[in-house]
Amino acid sequence: MDQKSGAHERNPEFAEFVARLKRIKLLGSAQGIIEYDMEVSMPPGGAEARGEVAAELAGLEHEMTTSAEFRRKAERMMSLAHRGQLDPFEATVVRRACKEIEREAKLPKELVEELAAVTSEAHHVWAAAKGISDFTSFLPHLKRIIALKRQEAAAVGFRASPYDALLDGYEPGMTCASVEAMFTPLTAFLKDFIRRLASGTPPDESRAKIRAPLVIQQRVCRKVAEAMGFDFSRGRLDASAHPFTNRLHPGDTRITTRYDENDLLSAVYSTVHETGHALYEAGMPQEQFGTCAGESASFGIHESQSRLWENMIGRSAGFCFFLIYDILRHEGLPIGHPYDFRPHDMFCAVNVCRPSLIRTEADEVTYNLHLALRFELERALIEGTIEAKDLPRLWNAKMEEYLGVTVPDDGHGVLQDVHWSAGYFGYFPTYTLGNLYAAQLFEAARRDLPLVGEKSFSGDFADLRDWLRAKVWRHGAMLDPADLITQATGEPPSAEPFKRYLETKFKLVYRL
Amino acid sequence: MDQKSGAHERNPEFAEFVARLKRIKLLGSAQGIIEYDMEVSMPPGGAEARGEVAAELAGLEHEMTTSAEFRRKAERMMSLAHRGQLDPFEATVVRRACKEIEREAKLPKELVEELAAVTSEAHHVWAAAKGISDFTSFLPHLKRIIALKRQEAAAVGFRASPYDALLDGYEPGMTCASVEAMFTPLTAFLKDFIRRLASGTPPDESRAKIRAPLVIQQRVCRKVAEAMGFDFSRGRLDASAHPFTNRLHPGDTRITTRYDENDLLSAVYSTVHETGHALYEAGMPQEQFGTCAGESASFGIHESQSRLWENMIGRSAGFCFFLIYDILRHEGLPIGHPYDFRPHDMFCAVNVCRPSLIRTEADEVTYNLHLALRFELERALIEGTIEAKDLPRLWNAKMEEYLGVTVPDDGHGVLQDVHWSAGYFGYFPTYTLGNLYAAQLFEAARRDLPLVGEKSFSGDFADLRDWLRAKVWRHGAMLDPADLITQATGEPPSAEPFKRYLETKFKLVYRL
């Protein structure tokens, strides 16, 4: 799909439709700015009123999206598309926008409001329950959320599984069946691969622990983001409890990281991850802001961009060399390793595989087993084949089976993630899809750019950026993720490149 | 007017009306957050799209305020008030809200949009013109703005002068005549007072120049704001090019200052000024957010709060003592004055009177002459008795007459302020009104609290805060500014207390 179709005269009705889409998107920008301030700047006293501001804007956006007048306009545009009165670019923009409008319009107002109210309350209950490992206090809220998400799936409509309706909101075109086809063999491979690594030589992890004062960490992270291509005249790097990326609007992409004075690389890898997201956001056609041509293809594709930079680039020998010699050395780091801190040691130390309890702290190998477990459980919850009350037991059994890890309490088990309390059913698989897409894209990029690994040693990522821009960024959401991956790599989405990638790297690190 | 009238059951129609007012106010909060981010955080690349976000929200707020349905509701509320079916509190809230709704509704949409477009462009032209002192390039834009503001005045309606219609938007109930009645004798007094001071002994200004690194200045300003009573769990202090205060919404009041490493007191006095604004914002009845009971009485009353803290408190001997002994000493400041830096020296040094070119840098005495000049000129522009093209000549002549200062170029003369380029005609007099109200309030406060000066020496401002809360803050905008001042001090607004205040302080400083 070629974005340059803006060259000829646009259908005036299309232009008017896009202008309205952009107005809705501007309201989304306002919400993004408000949320960003909430995470980065807001004093605690502002929380309650801020929630009201956010709700008011969300309500206005919903009204604007689902007003009878706008839906009539959307229907009219669809009929123009059907009658061939729009060019292919216009037709795609219309089709995608109408899909979202319809999805939103299908949800009864009462359901939307109840979900907002229930998840808002559940969030607080979940946070408290997690702190004291008390699943039973969270259970009634979780049951209500599951019931509402099942209603949502029914309202949206689906063919095979109600879970498909939810998944499609995050990963257009993906279904339980297509996810399962990749995840089941991947899970088997990973379980076996972990056992194989256990027979190797584990790296010395102390080579990844670097202490550094906050101001130095801030400078290092800024330099890393700059080297990756983040433009600080069109963005910022700040600190927040949970790192995130948010393009507020064209020309202003924000990323955050978190700092721990005992662990410089934690801030660095958060920064690399978020910068990966940010390059994608800033790399989309900015003039298409408001239409699918100017937004991300899916949650999975977004995650592929962050994970490609974080893992394929960031955890490579070349990047460790660049980080040590071009950045850390100028800051007098790593302190305490004046002579013997070698890039290869760091490379090995940032590529440790160790089964553990918490998803967000998991390494590249075990991470996807955490997700497989969640996908299986949440799918069964939505399909109604298991009950919420049985979750802790099922969770703990799967942790034992997949990772050989014994869960000591629900705070470190089934209660660890925020997603279910927020109603994000269907989100988890996109993390693994991101990893798979990343490996597949990177394998293709290396085919086209044989020197990409070598160039990492000097922090030269220009070729890789150009490749990603051409293959991924510039397409926005004009293609479904599976089609985007197929077009970019010549193959449909598959777990094979990821398996090859893991084998190559971890066999080297574990000297197998 | 007693705010506690919330105790009994509210008229349900009134409650519904207030809920709608609050929704409009929440949109205002969203705009405040967006603006704050723009001033404090936004990278330059975001400017263009940010303008679109802000315009979209402003448009939505205007729509919400002037929709036919809401105006019918407002009319219905007014008729309830007329028929005595609302209690006095409710009736005041309704009357004030309807006044604003009507004002907004009276402005033709084309006028609002043209004003927004013209001032947006004029702002850039003005900034460039100021830089190169080129009044002629700004003149056509200024003429257009004046014409539009005259249209605005005609649409809003007025009795004596079209300027009254504009002034009323900033200072409800004030007119040219009432402002003139105070300003004319004040101007005469100030011109004479400056001459008298010139015969005294000027203080050694070097005693107010303290160099300090940024981090120390940040700490000092934070401590000053805390001592004044600013609650950092419900607010923040940041840096921006032009210091400002913005209560984003209940529980989140932001202030900014600006730092110059060569001049600590510049940042300190900016902080004191903005904290004065912030205490007022945070001191209003927060639960009344959205109605006049929870907002500021006027621009002049707002300025009175900042100026009272900045000048009557901040430039007092007691505050200088407190600043040096309780704050600066702990930071090892003032560097370079280890033994002989005495509070009395600082007190004198921060109370210098010297006629100068730039309003924002003017001292307490000369400041109001800068405003008198602007009031006279902008009033004549709006009334059509002078022409915009003659402004530089008239400006320079008045500067000579009032302050004995020769204007070297228009950049340091008629082009120095942003206000006219933004269409803020009627704003300038509120600065002087703020100074007059401040002196009158402070004189009354000292009558009620004879120890307020003594308590400043230990940074104990609790009594003063309680007094201001009782007399000013808790009333929100339930009273017109003149009534608020009369109720608080026992006298209608007058320049006499300000004259007495200047005489007392400056005669001491200048040893007259």
Side-chain angles (χ1 to χ4, degrees):
Chain A
M1 185 73 47
D2 191 357
Q3 308 294 304
K4 276 179 293 188
S5 33
H8 70 275
E9 202 60 40
R10 286 261 162 260
N11 180 315
E13 280 195 76
F14 176 79
E16 194 196 307
F17 181 67
V18 164
R20 172 66 175 255
L21 289 178
K22 188 174 169 185
R23 285 190 58 198
I24 296 172
K25 192 75 183 172
L26 290 171
L27 267 189
S29 286
Q31 293 170 72
I33 298 163
I34 285 162
E35 219 169 279
Y36 171 87
D37 180 273
M38 197 155 73
E39 300 292 334
V40 172
S41 301
M42 190 183 73
E48 193 186 327
R50 184 63 61 96
E52 294 181 305
V53 176
E56 177 64 31
L57 288 189
L60 283 173
E61 189 187 344
H62 179 77
E63 273 173 36
M64 227 186 199
T65 309
T66 59
S67 78
E69 165 247 338
F70 185 51
R71 282 169 63 195
R72 271 195 303 277
K73 180 79 196 157
E75 273 163 31
R76 158 92 186 141
M77 295 310 297
M78 277 303 280
S79 81
L80 286 184
H82 289 314
R83 281 184 277 145
Q85 290 180 276
L86 299 177
D87 70 24
F89 173 85
E90 292 169 344
T92 302
V93 166
V94 165
R95 191 166 41 77
R96 299 230 161 226
C98 290
K99 183 181 167 189
E100 280 179 41
I101 295 163
E102 271 167 39
R103 188 185 172 102
E104 187 108 7
K106 275 181 191 165
L107 302 179
K109 193 158 172 280
E110 303 72 44
L111 177 61
V112 171
E113 286 173 358
E114 194 180 350
L115 252 174
V118 169
T119 52
S120 168
E121 197 192 341
H123 180 78
H124 298 286
V125 175
W126 162 78
K130 179 184 174 182
I132 55 168
S133 284
D134 177 24
F135 182 74
T136 51
S137 66
F138 179 52
L139 180 59
H141 298 83
L142 180 59
K143 282 163 83 168
R144 187 75 202 122
I145 292 170
I146 293 167
L148 292 169
K149 295 305 282 189
R150 286 165 58 100
Q151 283 179 37
E152 180 181 327
V156 170
F158 55 88
R159 280 185 202 162
S161 162
Y163 187 82
D164 289 347
L166 303 181
L167 179 61
D168 191 73
Y170 299 101
E171 205 65 16
M174 279 282 165
T175 61
C176 278
S178 57
V179 166
E180 213 171 21
M182 285 187 278
F183 282 23
T184 306
L186 176 65
T187 300
F189 165 82
L190 292 174
K191 281 160 68 179
D192 174 64
F193 190 56
I194 291 168
R195 271 190 293 272
R196 280 153 62 204
L197 291 182
S199 68
T201 313
D204 175 1
E205 289 178 64
S206 71
R207 297 317 177 94
K209 286 286 171 227
I210 306 173
R211 290 180 52 109
L214 177 64
V215 286
I216 291 185
Q217 296 207 16
Q218 287 171 331
R219 254 193 330 255
V220 166
C221 288
R222 189 182 164 101
K223 285 181 184 173
V224 165
E226 266 173 348
M228 288 173 62
F230 187 78
D231 178 354
F232 278 90
S233 79
R234 301 172 72 77
R236 286 176 64 92
L237 167 62
D238 290 286
S240 68
H242 302 282
F244 65 91
T245 298
N246 193 341
R247 179 175 54 144
L248 304 180
H249 47 65
D252 192 353
T253 302
R254 308 284 175 97
I255 51 180
T256 70
T257 185
R258 77 181 137 207
Y259 298 102
D260 169 358
E261 297 216 329
N262 292 311
D263 190 359
L264 167 71
L265 292 190
S266 157
V268 167
Y269 282 110
S270 265
T271 302
V272 174
H273 180 98
E274 300 304 333
T275 304
H277 282 304
L279 292 176
Y280 183 26
E281 283 290 334
M284 292 167 201
Q286 302 295 306
E287 71 285 3
Q288 303 286 359
F289 183 70
T291 76
C292 67
E295 65 197 35
S296 63
S298 72
F299 280 62
I301 296 292
H302 225 309
E303 190 71 5
S304 79
Q305 299 306 294
S306 56
R307 296 292 272 180
L308 186 152
W309 286 95
E310 179 189 357
N311 292 330
M312 281 96 213
I313 294 293
R315 296 183 200 276
S316 70
F319 184 85
C320 291
F321 186 96
F322 164 68
L323 183 64
I324 290 177
Y325 285 99
D326 280 15
I327 298 184
L328 301 188
R329 207 177 47 160
H330 298 290
E331 301 287 349
L333 290 171
I335 293 158
H337 294 275
Y339 303 113
D340 64 348
F341 203 88
R342 295 180 315 162
H344 186 75
D345 295 338
M346 185 193 277
F347 163 65
C348 292
V350 299
N351 284 296
V352 169
C353 166
R354 182 186 310 105
S356 64
L357 288 166
I358 308 298
R359 173 183 65 85
T360 56
E361 296 165 9
D363 57 77
E364 273 187 276
V365 181
T366 59
Y367 189 72
N368 298 295
L369 292 173
H370 289 270
L371 275 328
L373 172 163
R374 284 158 177 75
F375 164 61
E376 290 160 21
L377 293 179
E378 71 175 17
R379 176 191 173 173
L381 286 168
I382 296 298
E383 291 181 346
T385 57
I386 64 170
E387 284 189 64
K389 71 171 169 48
D390 298 321
L391 270 181
R393 184 176 51 77
L394 295 167
W395 180 287
N396 297 353
K398 274 191 196 284
M399 283 298 285
E400 200 74 60
E401 182 197 342
Y402 288 0
L403 288 158
V405 158
T406 305
V407 178
D409 55 55
D410 292 339
H412 294 82
V414 68
L415 288 174
Q416 69 182 263
D417 290 309
V418 70
H419 300 62
W420 290 341
S421 74
Y424 297 163
F425 285 82
Y427 189 132
F428 280 128
T430 69
Y431 289 114
T432 289
L433 290 172
N435 288 324
L436 304 187
Y437 299 158
Q440 190 164 342
L441 288 168
F442 195 62
E443 195 175 75
R446 285 175 67 128
R447 255 195 324 262
D448 293 347
L449 310 167
L451 293 179
V452 79
E454 280 68 15
K455 290 193 171 181
S456 293
F457 281 80
S458 57
D460 176 0
F461 308 113
D463 292 350
L464 178 60
R465 279 198 303 273
D466 289 344
W467 191 92
L468 289 171
R469 187 184 310 276
K471 302 289 184 179
V472 181
W473 304 347
R474 78 182 181 89
H475 297 290
M478 295 294 285
L479 297 167
D480 268 345
D483 296 333
L484 183 68
I485 292 296
T486 306
Q487 186 178 294
T489 68
E491 301 283 342
S494 149
E496 294 309 312
F498 183 65
K499 284 154 68 176
R500 286 193 283 272
Y501 158 73
L502 286 187
E503 290 213 312
T504 308
K505 184 158 82 170
F506 281 85
K507 279 184 178 168
L508 177 65
V509 171
Y510 278 78
R511 301 188 217 160
L512 285 170
Chain B
M1 184 74 47
D2 191 355
Q3 308 294 305
K4 277 179 294 190
S5 33
H8 71 273
E9 203 58 40
R10 285 260 162 262
N11 181 314
E13 281 195 77
F14 175 79
E16 194 196 307
F17 181 66
V18 164
R20 171 65 176 256
L21 289 178
K22 188 173 169 185
R23 285 190 58 197
I24 296 172
K25 192 77 183 173
L26 290 172
L27 267 189
S29 286
Q31 293 169 73
I33 298 163
I34 285 162
E35 218 169 279
Y36 171 87
D37 180 271
M38 199 155 71
E39 298 293 334
V40 172
S41 302
M42 191 183 73
E48 193 186 329
R50 184 63 61 96
E52 294 180 305
V53 176
E56 177 63 31
L57 287 189
L60 283 173
E61 188 186 344
H62 180 77
E63 272 174 36
M64 227 187 200
T65 309
T66 59
S67 77
E69 165 248 337
F70 185 51
R71 282 169 64 195
R72 271 195 304 277
K73 179 78 196 158
E75 273 163 32
R76 157 95 185 137
M77 295 310 296
M78 277 303 279
S79 80
L80 286 184
H82 288 316
R83 282 184 278 145
Q85 290 179 277
L86 299 177
D87 69 24
F89 172 86
E90 292 170 344
T92 302
V93 167
V94 165
R95 190 167 41 78
R96 299 228 162 229
C98 289
K99 183 182 167 189
E100 280 180 41
I101 295 162
E102 272 167 39
R103 188 186 172 102
E104 187 110 7
K106 274 178 189 166
L107 301 178
K109 192 157 173 280
E110 304 71 45
L111 177 60
V112 172
E113 285 172 0
E114 193 179 349
L115 252 173
V118 170
T119 52
S120 167
E121 197 191 341
H123 180 79
H124 299 287
V125 175
W126 162 78
K130 179 184 174 181
I132 56 168
S133 284
D134 177 24
F135 182 75
T136 52
S137 65
F138 179 52
L139 180 59
H141 297 85
L142 180 59
K143 283 164 81 169
R144 187 75 203 124
I145 292 170
I146 294 167
L148 291 169
K149 295 305 282 188
R150 286 164 58 100
Q151 283 179 36
E152 179 181 327
V156 170
F158 56 88
R159 280 184 201 164
S161 162
Y163 187 82
D164 289 346
L166 304 180
L167 179 59
D168 191 72
Y170 298 101
E171 206 64 16
M174 279 282 166
T175 62
C176 278
S178 56
V179 166
E180 213 171 22
M182 286 186 276
F183 282 24
T184 306
L186 176 65
T187 300
F189 165 83
L190 292 174
K191 282 161 66 179
D192 174 63
F193 190 56
I194 291 168
R195 271 191 293 273
R196 281 151 64 202
L197 290 182
S199 69
T201 315
D204 176 2
E205 288 177 63
S206 71
R207 296 316 175 94
K209 286 285 171 227
I210 306 173
R211 291 180 50 109
L214 177 63
V215 285
I216 291 184
Q217 296 207 16
Q218 287 171 330
R219 246 184 348 243
V220 166
C221 289
R222 189 182 164 101
K223 285 181 183 172
V224 165
E226 266 173 348
M228 288 172 63
F230 186 79
D231 179 354
F232 278 90
S233 77
R234 302 173 72 77
R236 286 176 64 91
L237 167 61
D238 291 284
S240 68
H242 302 283
F244 66 92
T245 299
N246 194 341
R247 178 175 55 143
L248 304 180
H249 47 65
D252 192 354
T253 302
R254 307 284 175 96
I255 51 181
T256 69
T257 186
R258 76 181 137 207
Y259 298 102
D260 169 357
E261 297 217 329
N262 292 312
D263 190 0
L264 168 71
L265 292 190
S266 157
V268 167
Y269 282 110
S270 266
T271 302
V272 174
H273 181 98
E274 300 305 333
T275 304
H277 281 304
L279 293 176
Y280 183 26
E281 282 291 334
M284 292 168 199
Q286 302 295 307
E287 71 284 2
Q288 303 286 0
F289 183 70
T291 76
C292 67
E295 65 196 35
S296 63
S298 72
F299 280 62
I301 296 292
H302 226 309
E303 190 71 4
S304 79
Q305 299 305 295
S306 56
R307 295 293 271 180
L308 186 152
W309 287 96
E310 179 189 356
N311 292 330
M312 282 96 212
I313 295 292
R315 295 183 201 277
S316 70
F319 184 85
C320 292
F321 185 96
F322 164 68
L323 184 64
I324 290 176
Y325 286 99
D326 280 15
I327 298 184
L328 301 189
R329 209 177 45 161
H330 299 290
E331 301 287 350
L333 290 172
I335 293 158
H337 293 274
Y339 303 113
D340 65 348
F341 202 87
R342 294 179 316 161
H344 186 75
D345 294 339
M346 185 194 277
F347 163 65
C348 291
V350 298
N351 284 295
V352 169
C353 166
R354 184 187 309 105
S356 64
L357 288 165
I358 307 297
R359 173 184 64 85
T360 56
E361 296 165 9
D363 58 78
E364 273 187 277
V365 181
T366 59
Y367 188 72
N368 299 294
L369 292 173
H370 289 269
L371 276 325
L373 172 164
R374 284 157 177 77
F375 164 61
E376 290 159 21
L377 293 178
E378 70 175 16
R379 175 191 174 173
L381 286 168
I382 295 298
E383 291 181 347
T385 58
I386 63 170
E387 284 189 63
K389 71 172 169 47
D390 298 322
L391 270 180
R393 185 176 52 78
L394 295 167
W395 180 286
N396 298 353
K398 275 194 196 284
M399 283 298 285
E400 201 72 61
E401 184 198 341
Y402 289 180
L403 288 157
V405 159
T406 305
V407 178
D409 55 54
D410 292 339
H412 294 83
V414 69
L415 287 174
Q416 69 182 266
D417 291 309
V418 70
H419 300 61
W420 291 340
S421 73
Y424 297 163
F425 284 82
Y427 189 133
F428 280 129
T430 69
Y431 288 115
T432 289
L433 290 172
N435 289 324
L436 305 187
Y437 299 157
Q440 190 164 342
L441 288 168
F442 194 63
E443 195 174 75
R446 287 175 66 128
R447 254 194 326 262
D448 293 347
L449 309 167
L451 294 180
V452 78
E454 281 68 15
K455 289 193 171 181
S456 295
F457 282 80
S458 56
D460 176 0
F461 307 114
D463 292 350
L464 178 60
R465 278 198 304 272
D466 288 345
W467 192 92
L468 289 170
R469 186 185 310 278
K471 301 288 184 180
V472 180
W473 303 346
R474 77 182 180 89
H475 298 289
M478 294 295 285
L479 297 167
D480 268 347
D483 295 335
L484 183 68
I485 292 297
T486 307
Q487 185 178 294
T489 69
E491 300 283 342
S494 150
E496 295 309 312
F498 183 66
K499 285 154 66 176
R500 286 193 284 271
Y501 157 75
L502 285 187
E503 291 215 311
T504 307
K505 183 158 83 171
F506 281 85
K507 279 184 178 169
L508 178 65
V509 171
Y510 279 77
R511 303 190 216 159
L512 284 172

